[in-house]
Amino acid sequence: MNEKELLQHYRQTGNLDSLGKLYSPYMSLLYGVCFKYLQDAEQSQDAVMQIFDELIVKLRTHEVDNFKSWLYVYARNYCLMQLRKDKQITKVDIEDNLYESEQKLSSKDEKRWEEQDFDKLETCIAGLASEQEQCIRLFYLEQKCYKDIVDLTGFELSKVKSYIQNGRRNLKICMEKK
């Protein structure tokens, strides 16, 4: 079958083999188009596969006369949309911020905790409502995630978050008093 016949056959039957035969000769061309815009090999490969997935629906609803031209324009528009999405996402290079974080961690201005501070903290934790105490101990001392705390305690997720937030606030108030 020629290109028009494959396209017509796919539109009528939805047969993915027909679409695959129609699409496969253009995959390397599409990769080149995507790489031209995205400048990233992995992203370009993903784009070629995403475009195929989108064609499954698009080609059944759109009338296409010249598949190659239509596909090129579709791929270009797809890549431009990806670039727009990427501009909205702020990317932070960890290396740029690592030095600043290390400086904050090793700041000499920070107060060193002494044994009495830990005793005071333990007293304040023990003074919390039992649900708050349980969630604070699991979250901070045992480093459990919300899901694990929900499983261990039987509390609802919203309650766990609330107990941790309120417990933290109450701890801060207690620590500042003593």
Side-chain angles (χ1 to χ4, degrees):
M1 282 194 258
N2 67 25
E3 206 170 81
K4 280 198 182 277
E5 291 170 340
L6 281 171
L7 188 56
Q8 190 62 33
H9 184 260
Y10 173 71
R11 288 195 67 191
Q12 291 171 349
T13 65
N15 183 333
L16 289 180
D17 287 337
S18 299
L19 181 59
K21 288 176 186 173
L22 185 64
Y23 187 73
S24 64
Y26 298 110
M27 287 177 71
S28 57
L29 173 73
L30 286 180
Y31 175 80
V33 170
C34 292
F35 190 79
K36 174 182 160 190
Y37 286 98
L38 302 175
Q39 299 293 310
D40 180 76
E42 248 180 69
Q43 230 182 346
S44 299
Q45 288 173 347
D46 290 345
V48 170
M49 298 315 294
Q50 283 298 120
I51 290 169
F52 179 78
D53 287 343
E54 290 182 12
L55 290 183
I56 292 171
V57 175
K58 298 278 185 197
L59 286 177
R60 302 234 25 213
T61 57
H62 287 81
E63 188 64 41
V64 177
D65 292 326
N66 185 342
F67 182 70
K68 183 178 180 180
S69 299
W70 183 88
L71 188 59
Y72 172 81
V73 170
Y74 189 83
R76 185 191 68 203
N77 290 341
Y78 177 88
C79 292
L80 291 173
M81 290 303 291
Q82 291 302 308
L83 291 172
R84 258 188 224 133
K85 281 183 193 173
D86 288 349
K87 280 184 182 177
Q88 293 172 355
I89 299 171
T90 305
K91 295 180 182 177
V92 177
D93 186 11
I94 193 164
E95 293 298 322
D96 294 343
N97 295 299
L98 192 58
Y99 179 75
E100 184 180 324
S101 297
E102 287 175 357
Q103 291 302 100
K104 285 181 182 176
L105 286 174
S106 65
S107 173
K108 292 179 176 118
D109 297 338
E110 285 186 26
K111 177 186 163 206
R112 297 266 182 223
W113 275 49
E114 296 174 11
E115 190 63 34
Q116 65 192 22
D117 295 322
F118 289 106
D119 293 340
K120 185 166 49 168
L121 178 63
E122 187 57 41
T123 303
C124 287
I125 290 175
L128 294 173
S130 63
E131 295 89 354
Q132 290 177 3
E133 178 185 357
Q134 187 178 13
C135 290
I136 289 287
R137 287 187 185 281
L138 289 169
F139 190 75
Y140 289 106
L141 302 179
E142 296 183 30
Q143 298 183 337
K144 301 286 186 190
C145 67
Y146 289 140
K147 183 186 179 314
D148 291 342
I149 296 172
V150 167
D151 293 342
L152 290 168
T153 62
F155 300 142
E156 294 176 15
L157 177 63
S158 60
K159 290 288 187 188
V160 167
K161 289 179 179 180
S162 176
Y163 292 146
I164 291 171
Q165 181 180 6
N166 292 335
R168 218 173 51 208
R169 186 188 66 244
N170 291 336
L171 274 178
K172 183 178 181 202
I173 292 168
C174 178
M175 292 292 288
E176 288 172 352
K177 279 183 186 176
K178 296 189 177 215

